């Protein structure tokens, strides 16, 4: 009998091990849930990690207030199926309380001020570890993360101070006020995620599959027609068949022209693509170090 695990089963086993380590080492962990494919995968792995018991920590959505309606509908349905507890941390509340100032302009992104909302929620609920679905292949700043990524008492990340993780030994020691981000999907790729979702027959938001939508091309990014975007002079919306490779703030999450309507067609498209999934994120194009700058301020 061949006892060797398939590639996906090895990744699944590794991720479940990391999730269980986080539950064992930290007193108040939380799973960050955006309604995107990576956090969906992470949630399913967490359920496997503790089955038949319930997932022993809550989920938290840092809500920008600029979500696609499809995302929120899926989020609520998914949480009900998982029988999980959901905490919603509101960026709008952060703005209303005067803790952050919203950007001005035709499509002001709230991604930067999500960090303030997240750090406030961590302090309010006394979370000492936030499990997230980030992967090293997504973006060069995320490639610097460890499985257990330390944050100081101000919630800030210093890539030079990451701890070694030899032989799958994770050091979760922290001082009062410090916390960790935990990334069980670190070694997964976008293709791995899609293959796993297909194998596990996991339901997904409709935004990931091709559909007709009004979009405008701004700086090479197809932005959707939403109440949060304003057309610039000379711009107009066009109807195209598109899908999204990431799901986030509608003001900066770009669509991709696509006819992929099934998960098999999506997998084929991802295999042939030479553009990363975050290639359609307008917020990542603001500077070469945009993601790393946000992470140092407390971003996911």
């Amino acid at each position: 009998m061949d006892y060797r695990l398939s590639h996906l089963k090895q990744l699944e086993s590794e991720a479940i091990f990391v999730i269980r380590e986080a539950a064992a080492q930290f007193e108040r962990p939380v799973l960050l849930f955006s309604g995107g494919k990576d956090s969906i995968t992470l949630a399913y792995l967490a359920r496997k990690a503790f089955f038949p018991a319930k997932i022993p920590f809550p989920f938290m959505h840092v809500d920008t207030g600029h979500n696609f309606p499809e995302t929120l509908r899926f989020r609520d349905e998914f949480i009900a199926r998982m029988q999980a507890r959901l905490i919603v941390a509101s960026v709008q509340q952060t703005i209303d309380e005067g803790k952050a100032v919203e950007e001005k302009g035709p499509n002001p992104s709230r991604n930067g001020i999500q960090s303030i909302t997240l750090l406030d929620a961590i302090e309010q609920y006394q979370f000492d570890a936030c499990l997230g679905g980030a992967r090293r292949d997504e973006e060069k700043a995320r490639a610097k993360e460890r499985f257990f990524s330390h944050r100081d008492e101000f919630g800030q990340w210093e890539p030079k101070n990451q701890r070694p993780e030899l032989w799958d030994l994770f050091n979760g020691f922290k001082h009062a006020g410090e916390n960790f981000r935990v990334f069980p999907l670190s070694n997964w790729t976008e293709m791995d995620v899609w293959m796993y979702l297909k194998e596990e027959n996991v339901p997904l938001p409709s935004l990931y599959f091709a559909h007709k939508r009004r979009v405008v091309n701004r700086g090479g990014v197809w932005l959707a027609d939403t109440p949060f975007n304003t057309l610039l002079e000379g711009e107009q919306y066009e109807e195209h068949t598109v899908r999204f490779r990431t799901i986030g703030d509608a003001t900066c999450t770009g669509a991709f022209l696509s006819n992929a309507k099934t998960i098999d067609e999506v997998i084929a498209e991802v295999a042939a693509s030479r553009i990363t999934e975050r290639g359609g994120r307008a917020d990542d194009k603001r500077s070469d170090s945009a993601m790393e700058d946000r992470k140092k301020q407390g971003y996911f």
Side-chain angles (χ1 to χ4, degrees):
M1 183 180 293
D2 188 351
Y3 289 99
R4 290 175 296 180
L5 296 177
S6 71
H7 174 61
L8 288 179
K9 287 299 181 183
Q10 289 182 46
L11 289 172
E12 178 189 70
S13 178
E14 177 185 66
I16 287 174
F17 174 73
V18 174
I19 292 168
R20 287 173 175 166
E21 277 292 301
Q25 292 199 38
F26 300 108
E27 295 181 4
R28 296 181 66 86
V30 64
L31 190 151
L32 299 178
F33 187 78
S34 67
K37 67 183 185 309
D38 300 312
S39 59
I40 292 169
T41 301
L42 182 59
Y44 266 78
L45 290 165
R47 187 169 70 171
K48 281 193 174 188
F50 303 107
F51 188 82
K54 291 184 178 180
I55 299 172
F57 38 76
F59 291 21
M60 182 166 70
H61 179 206
V62 180
D63 181 2
T64 66
H66 286 173
N67 297 288
F68 293 100
E70 298 94 327
T71 302
L72 295 181
R73 284 197 298 270
F74 181 88
R75 179 199 70 184
D76 295 339
E77 293 168 0
F78 182 86
I79 293 298
R81 282 197 303 271
M82 298 291 286
Q83 297 182 308
R85 174 192 171 204
L86 176 67
I87 297 168
V88 178
S90 169
V91 171
Q92 184 61 56
Q93 182 177 338
T94 300
I95 295 170
D96 292 343
E97 292 175 351
K99 297 178 180 178
V101 178
E102 187 161 14
E103 291 183 358
K104 306 298 182 183
N107 56 320
S109 172
R110 292 183 171 183
N111 266 6
I113 56 180
Q114 281 186 88
S115 303
I116 301 171
T117 306
L118 174 61
L119 295 177
D120 281 351
I122 289 172
E123 183 177 2
Q124 177 183 351
Y125 294 99
Q126 295 297 295
F127 293 132
D128 53 1
C130 297
L131 285 78
R135 310 182 322 267
R136 292 189 181 121
D137 76 316
E138 286 183 89
E139 205 274 342
K140 57 188 177 183
R142 285 183 168 168
K144 299 178 183 180
E145 296 276 19
R146 300 287 196 266
F147 283 104
F148 278 29
S149 185
H150 175 263
R151 299 297 196 269
D152 65 20
E153 63 271 25
F154 300 106
Q156 297 177 329
W157 173 68
E158 176 48 67
K160 296 178 181 178
N161 292 337
Q162 295 301 295
R163 298 169 180 178
E165 293 178 339
L166 305 176
W167 306 291
D168 292 332
L169 297 175
F170 305 124
N171 181 358
F173 175 79
K174 59 182 177 55
H175 296 287
E178 298 177 343
N179 62 82
F180 278 79
R181 305 288 193 275
V182 178
F183 301 114
L185 304 185
S186 290
N187 288 335
W188 296 53
T189 65
E190 182 186 11
M191 178 64 80
D192 293 328
V193 170
W194 279 110
M195 294 291 289
Y196 186 78
L197 292 169
K198 176 187 175 182
E199 185 172 290
E200 297 292 314
N201 194 28
V202 178
L204 291 162
S206 60
L207 289 171
Y208 280 122
F209 303 99
H211 59 283
K212 294 284 187 181
R213 187 175 290 268
R214 280 161 47 90
V215 292
V216 62
N217 192 307
R218 182 173 298 163
V221 176
W222 290 100
L223 295 175
D225 180 3
T226 72
F228 319 116
N229 289 331
T230 303
L231 289 176
L232 301 177
E233 185 177 354
E235 289 183 337
Q236 62 180 9
Y237 287 113
E238 311 167 26
E239 184 172 84
H240 288 286
T241 301
V242 301
R243 74 176 191 88
F244 293 86
R245 289 173 69 183
T246 65
I247 292 179
D249 190 315
T251 63
C252 59
T253 301
F256 288 82
L257 302 180
S258 171
N259 292 308
K261 295 183 178 180
T262 68
I263 196 164
D264 287 316
E265 290 173 345
V266 168
I267 289 171
E269 184 178 88
V270 170
S273 177
R274 293 297 176 265
I275 301 174
T276 66
E277 61 192 300
R278 293 192 68 92
R281 293 296 293 264
D283 52 331
D284 286 353
K285 298 178 182 294
R286 295 188 174 192
S287 73
D288 289 340
S289 61
M291 171 65 81
E292 184 159 334
D293 292 341
R294 294 201 303 275
K295 290 176 74 65
K296 288 182 177 180
Q297 295 168 2
Y299 191 68
F300 304 160

